[in-house]
Amino acid sequence: SMSFQSCVQENAHFFVADMIIASLEKMKCNILSQQAESWGVEETSGSDGSYHTDLELSSYPGVKKSDSSAASSDSGYEGKSSYEPGSNSAEATAQELCRAFRKHWLQTDSAVQLSGCLSSSKQRVNIPRELESSLNLAEEIKIISKLRGSFGWAPPRSQIIFNIHPSVKRDAVVAAQNFTCVGCGTPIESSKLRYCDYLGKYFCDCCHSYAQSSIPARILSKWDFKKYYVCNFSKHLLDSIWQQPIFNVSCINKALYTKSKEMDRVREVQEQLFHLKKLLKTCRFGESVMKEFEQVPSHLTEELHLFSLDDLVKIKRGQLLPLLKDILKSSTSHVDGCELCQAKGFICEFCQSADLLFPHQIAKCKRCTECKTCFHKACFKSGGCPKCLRIAARRTFLETPSLVPP
């Protein structure tokens, strides 16, 4: 269908070009006939003995200025202009027009460009009515060429669908499609159409080869990894985004963590690795441990709740969680034995315990949402963070005008 549309547009381009060339040929004939008549008048006046001066001859197009020897009969000059064939060639003008149309096809200022091209022939002419009608046709082709498909059909768009299509009767869906295939717009009988579970539309056998794929909406809503029949367009689209991290579970369906135990475990490990990676990046002794993070995609340890379809399938199969746990174990052991990493730990200001706290210790650590300081979960009191209180007191002290005279 796309090749058919390109053929239609290309034929339309050639149709407009042919009309322009035909109009230019008529213009050329008119111009040459007018010049021939003017040259005949000049020859008649020249035979009577009234010759034009060099200044008068130079004012005519195509007439070369002659020297004193050119006035004699031996020079072969008898008052005729030396016409240059290339200056008024319709073929050259048409070629220039075609190049302009290919470079700036159907610009809004097409009439201005056309007049600019005609001026290159060194003749000032008016655009004929035939050419004006071709410009109107060109504008109409411009509008039609911008449409996706036709007025009754448009090809499917590349879009990510997050909702499961409700079950609707086949006849109702086909009637809404104008009894045509969504993929190519071909009219077809309802009994021969094939359903695409991803787009929720019906396709012909050319656009639907009974390919199967997991549906993102069913995975994120029902944790359903069954494969369903999809059209060729949907299969290509899903394959192209299979490795891309574009699904934020926290925004799409946060209840998935409670519905799936595997997802909840991965979320906990992912959060710990998220904080550990930040800490290890500041440690010059953590290069060997940082290499282990390369075993998994970077978005799993740098962004929270962000997954690709491939990640979700591996979580379902139990392949991703053991790998994340191994990275967590080696990273935790490095932090516990590294003096540089230990120096970046927090001390609970509520209990003043010597036990060092780190953000990745989510089981016993609670972080202040404002200053990001770590405290024991049992000790933390919301709204009573000691560090936030000190910051507020200092800000108030600096903003208060001093009572001591200068």
Side-chain angles (χ1 to χ4, degrees), residues 161-164 215-224 252-253 255-256 259 312:
I161 301 175
F162 295 101
N163 60 296
I164 301 175
I215 309 300
R218 294 185 180 274
I219 295 175
L220 296 169
S221 300
K222 298 183 177 181
W223 200 239
D224 179 11
I252 300 172
N253 183 20
L256 188 63
K259 183 177 294 186
L312 297 174

Side-chain angles (χ1 to χ4, degrees), residues 81 126 183:
S81 62
N126 296 325

Side-chain angles (χ1 to χ4, degrees), residues 5 13 137 155 170 274 304:
Q5 293 178 4
H13 298 175
L137 178 61
R170 180 191 185 96
F274 173 76
L304 296 177

Side-chain angles (χ1 to χ4, degrees), residues 132 170 242 322 332 361 365 390:
E132 291 179 357
R170 180 191 185 96
W242 193 258
T332 305
Q361 299 173 339
C365 174
R390 289 198 303 272

Side-chain angles (χ1 to χ4, degrees), residues 301-320:
T301 55
E302 294 178 356
E303 298 287 342
L304 296 177
H305 313 294
L306 195 62
F307 301 93
S308 65
L309 291 175
D310 186 60
D311 299 332
L312 297 174
V313 171
K314 288 181 179 179
I315 293 173
K316 176 66 176 178
R317 295 175 179 174
Q319 300 173 352
L320 186 59

Side-chain angles (χ1 to χ4, degrees), residues 301-371:
T301 55
E302 294 178 356
E303 298 287 342
L304 296 177
H305 313 294
L306 195 62
F307 301 93
S308 65
L309 291 175
D310 186 60
D311 299 332
L312 297 174
V313 171
K314 288 181 179 179
I315 293 173
K316 176 66 176 178
R317 295 175 179 174
Q319 300 173 352
L320 186 59
L321 184 59
L323 188 59
L324 294 177
K325 285 185 175 181
D326 291 340
I327 300 175
L328 177 62
K329 183 178 180 180
S330 58
S331 301
T332 305
S333 60
H334 169 82
V335 172
D336 293 340
C338 178
E339 294 183 359
L340 291 179
C341 294
Q342 288 291 308
K344 297 171 185 175
F346 294 88
I347 295 178
C348 180
E349 296 189 33
F350 288 103
C351 63
Q352 299 294 326
S353 173
D355 184 24
L356 291 178
L357 299 174
F358 294 90
H360 67 273
Q361 299 173 339
I362 58 177
K364 65 175 182 179
C365 174
K366 175 69 177 180
R367 298 190 75 185
C368 176
T369 56
E370 297 294 331
C371 63

Side-chain angles (χ1 to χ4, degrees), residues 249-283:
V249 177
S250 179
C251 298
I252 300 172
N253 183 20
K254 198 172 184 179
L256 188 63
Y257 290 125
T258 58
K259 183 177 294 186
S260 172
K261 294 182 179 180
E262 301 98 325
M263 281 294 296
D264 189 51
R265 295 193 190 100
V266 169
R267 178 190 61 81
E268 293 180 358
V269 178
Q270 185 188 35
E271 186 176 354
Q272 295 179 64
L273 290 174
F274 173 76
H275 296 296
L276 278 169
K277 192 171 185 178
K278 284 186 174 182
L279 178 61
L280 292 172
K281 282 183 177 180
T282 61
C283 179

